Every structure is written in structure tokens, then in C-alpha cells.
Amino acid sequence: MLQQTNIGKLNKMLVMIMAVASGVTVANLYYIQPLLAKIASSFQVTQVSVGFAAMLTQAGYALGMLFLLPLADIREKRRLIITLLLCSACSLMLMFFSFNITLLALASFAVGFTSVVPQLIVPLAAQLADPKERGRIIGTVMSGLLIGILISRTFSGFVGEYWGWKMVYLMAALLMLALAALLSKALPYCPPISQIKYTELSKSMVHLTKTLPVLREASLNGAMMFAAFSAFWTSLVFLLEGPPYHLGANAAGLFGLVGVVGALAAPVAGRIADKRSPRFTIGISMMIVILAYIIFWAFGYQLWGLVIGVILLDLGVQSCQISNQARVHALSDEARNRINTVFMVSYFVGGALGSLLGSYSYAHFQWAGVCIFGLLTQLMAISIHISYKKKSKPNFSQAN
């Protein structure tokens, strides 16, 4: 193994740059959600068809993490990040030039596959952070990431409403080029920390999954949490365009601003995880998401009900992810990127299924179907949470 070198102090400015970079890049995955109705109308396709395109973005992200993130252990990280940003800009331009749903679906997959930069930045922040502050640092970077997710919907909804959905992707491509220029100057040189071969990296991820119960638990309940999150945001635009709302993409995007309230709680969740335990925060987060979906089901046809539900949903999902990541990043310094790969691939597989099944549930069972799906994911998450509590603890006490 290579000896890890001191690659620079993690100061406040660098943390903020990492947070912004994570938010701007992850936004690529979510621009499509407020635009689904417009894209369906543009190509004359069904809700399920455009929901499938949204699912491919998250599926591409999951596969991108699976195949690209392990490279961070054996390649210089700054160069890898810049290369991926340039590839992401090309994928976004392909979205801009799409002329039918098939090409758009392929471009959506490419956007997801190349937009994995945030999942390189978060482990890098954890690597540079003082272990006593790791939860807070991850929370700050993840705040930027989730705010990017939520603001992306506001941005794409507004631009799509007034300038057309394709303009969203042209502007996003330009943002990727600007971000590549910024990070080439701001990020420190980050040498590889291992000489292991790429094929051995893939095999080692299977071994890590088998030997680390904490990683398995975090991956499974994280997938269920993100499935609930994605199901709501994919189906929201269809709810808002029908009675009693009769609103467009712009209104769906504005709900992203409401969700920022929940995102701002991420550093607080990180501090609680540092002081109490990540497991404690995860259990509370699941209860919050259940409450959000109960409110969606009971009061989803009233604006105040949606607003309260969105705040609770984003608060619960974000707090759970911060706590899960604090657990898994404490498991191993040498294998941090591979551990993060296992966790985030599972997370976004759950998100992809949530996008697909959320649009399917709405198409066949309307809003009640979406809410039932969301509640079922949380029942599964709680079952996983309880069952793993009874299992033997690994030899990584800080992860529990």
C-alpha cells in the first residue's frame, strides 16, 4: 500500500468550495424532475416513459459510482474530478441536442454516469477532516449537496417554464466547465493511496460488504430512504399539474426552496451523530419521514400540507444520510472510497427504483399510491434498522 501523504489542511474556505462543487454537480441528476410533464408533452410520450428516463439518470449515477469511484484509491483525485466534470459537460450537451425520447433516455443515463464528482469530494473531505469533526465536515459538504438537489428543481422549473427545458441543460453544461476551472485551482494535489489493481478493487468491495455489517445496514436503509425521497419528487410535478392545483414546472421547482429548510439541518445532524451516535439519529430520521408521508397522504391536496411534508421529508432523509455516512467513513481509512462506493451505489439504486415506482404508482393509483409506496419503504427501513441492532458489532466501535 502507498503511504498516504499530507495533502493539505482542510480549512473553512476549502470546505465551502467542496460543498458548492458537490451541490452544483449533483444538480445534474435532478433537473429533469420538474420538467417531466414538459418533456412528455414535447415528445408526446406517457408519464411512465419520462419517469423511466428519470430513473435512467439515477441508474447511470449508481453504475458510475460502481465503476468510477474505486479509481479514487489508485488515481490522483484532482485530475479524476476534472476529467469527469468535462465528460459531464458533454453528456449535458447531448441532453440539449436530444430530438426524441430514446436519445434523451441515453443522454439521461450518460448524465448520471458522469456526475459522480460529489461522491469523490465527500470521501476526500472525510479523509482531510479531524476525526473528531468528521461528522460536522461531512454534514457541511452534504448540506451543499442536498441544497444543490433542491435548488436544481427551482432552477430547472423556472428556466423550463420561460425558456424551454432544453435551455436548462445548455446552462448546466456551461456550469460544469466553469466548475472544472475552479476546482483545478482550489483542490490540493491528492495522490493515490493504494497500488491495488482495478480488478482487485472490485473484488475487495464484495469482501467489504460481506465483512462489515454496518456497511450492509447503512446501504439497505439508505436505499429505502432515498427511494421514498425520489418517489415524491418524481411524482410531485404530476400532482401539481392536475386538480386542485393546475400549476406548472415553475411551481414544482419552487418546492425545492421549501426543502432547503430541511437541508440546513444537515450540520446539526452531523453534530448530534458526533455527540450521541449515528444510529440514534437514523432511527429518529425514519420516524420523521413516516410523519412526512402521513401528512402527504392526509393533506397532500392542500398547499400547507405539501409544504410541511417537504420540510419533514428533506430533514429526515438528509439527517439519515449524514449519519449513515459518518458511520461508514469511520470504518476504514484505506478503503474509504470503496466503502463509499458500496453505500452510494445502494443508495442510488434505491433512488432509481423510487423514481420508476413513484411515477408508476401515480399513473395507476394516483397520489394515494405514491404515499403508500413511501410508507412501505420506511417500514422496510425500520425492519432493517431493528434487525441489525441485534447482530454482532464489528471491530469498529466508532462506526456505531
Side-chain angles (χ1 to χ4, degrees):
M1 308 298 289
L2 294 178
Q3 182 68 33
Q4 186 173 335
T5 60
N6 182 11
I7 60 178
K9 185 178 179 181
L10 188 63
N11 55 45
K12 291 183 179 180
M13 180 59 69
L14 184 53
V15 172
M16 292 307 300
I17 290 173
M18 288 177 160
V20 171
S22 296
V24 172
T25 309
V26 81
N28 295 339
L29 307 178
Y30 301 96
Y31 291 135
I32 195 171
Q33 290 178 346
L35 304 173
L36 291 175
K38 287 188 173 295
I39 294 172
S41 176
S42 175
F43 294 136
Q44 297 295 303
V45 296
T46 65
Q47 295 172 349
V48 175
S49 294
V50 291
F52 181 73
M55 181 274 288
L56 282 177
T57 305
Q58 293 180 334
Y61 195 67
L63 289 176
M65 288 187 289
L66 182 62
F67 291 107
L68 299 177
L69 292 194
L71 291 173
D73 284 338
I74 59 175
R75 295 287 186 269
E76 199 275 311
K77 295 181 183 66
R78 181 174 59 187
R79 178 178 294 181
L80 181 60
I81 288 170
I82 301 307
T83 300
L84 287 173
L85 287 172
L86 296 177
C87 291
S88 184
C90 293
S91 300
L92 291 162
M93 288 303 299
L94 186 59
M95 287 287 287
F96 175 73
F97 287 113
S98 295
F99 54 82
N100 59 38
I101 192 65
T102 301
L103 183 57
L104 181 129
L106 292 173
S108 295
F109 179 85
V111 167
F113 191 83
T114 58
S115 295
V116 298
V117 167
Q119 303 312 321
L120 294 170
I121 291 176
V122 173
L124 179 59
Q127 175 183 330
L128 296 174
D130 186 313
K132 295 180 180 179
E133 296 187 335
R134 185 170 286 139
R136 181 182 63 82
I137 296 298
I138 293 173
T140 300
V141 176
M142 289 299 298
S143 282
L145 188 148
L146 188 62
I147 289 171
I149 292 174
L150 299 171
I151 294 294
S152 69
R153 298 185 177 95
T154 305
F155 171 80
S156 66
F158 181 82
V159 174
E161 188 73 25
Y162 296 105
W163 290 288
W165 65 267
K166 287 193 173 186
M167 185 58 64
V168 173
Y169 291 99
L170 176 60
M171 296 173 73
L174 295 176
L175 280 172
M176 290 301 99
L177 295 176
L179 187 59
L182 172 64
L183 292 186
S184 67
K185 302 296 183 182
L187 287 180
Y189 176 78
C190 309
I193 59 175
S194 175
Q195 292 179 317
I196 189 172
K197 294 181 179 179
Y198 182 81
T199 53
E200 294 174 351
L201 283 174
S202 300
K203 293 178 182 178
S204 71
M205 287 191 291
V206 176
H207 176 73
L208 289 168
T209 305
K210 289 180 177 179
T211 56
L212 298 176
V214 169
L215 178 58
R216 293 198 302 273
E217 178 191 355
S219 298
L220 291 171
N221 67 37
M224 292 299 98
M225 295 291 280
F226 201 49
F229 184 84
S230 297
F232 170 79
W233 285 106
T234 301
S235 55
L236 176 63
V237 65
F238 301 125
L239 173 68
L240 292 178
E241 72 172 1
Y245 295 108
H246 300 290
L247 299 173
N250 193 27
L254 288 174
F255 273 91
L257 293 178
V258 176
V260 171
V261 176
L264 293 175
V268 177
R271 292 187 185 99
I272 294 172
D274 287 336
K275 292 180 179 179
R276 292 288 301 270
S277 75
R279 205 168 215 290
F280 171 80
T281 312
I282 290 167
I284 298 299
S285 300
M286 293 173 183
M287 296 297 104
I288 292 173
V289 174
I290 288 175
L291 178 59
Y293 263 99
I294 291 173
I295 292 173
F296 286 145
W297 196 353
F299 306 107
Y301 289 99
Q302 300 180 53
L303 188 60
W304 67 267
L306 282 182
V307 169
I308 293 174
V310 165
I311 293 172
L312 291 173
L313 177 66
D314 291 330
L315 172 61
V317 172
Q318 177 70 344
S319 298
C320 184
Q321 174 153 352
I322 296 303
S323 301
N324 270 327
Q325 289 199 296
R327 298 179 84 196
V328 300
H329 284 305
L331 292 174
S332 169
D333 290 333
E334 284 187 352
R336 180 171 285 120
N337 283 288
R338 279 166 280 163
I339 287 172
N340 188 60
T341 298
V342 174
F343 172 70
M344 292 307 302
V345 167
S346 301
Y347 193 77
F348 274 87
V349 166
L353 290 174
S355 292
L356 182 62
L357 295 178
S359 58
Y360 179 88
S361 297
Y362 191 87
H364 293 276
F365 306 105
Q366 298 302 301
W367 187 240
V370 176
C371 295
I372 291 171
F373 173 76
L375 289 170
L376 288 175
T377 63
Q378 297 314 290
L379 291 178
M380 294 177 66
I382 289 173
S383 298
I384 293 164
H385 188 67
I386 293 172
S387 65
Y388 270 86
K389 187 177 182 180
K390 299 176 181 178
K391 294 182 181 292
S392 300
K393 294 182 180 180
N395 295 323
F396 305 102
S397 58
Q398 67 268 42
N400 291 286

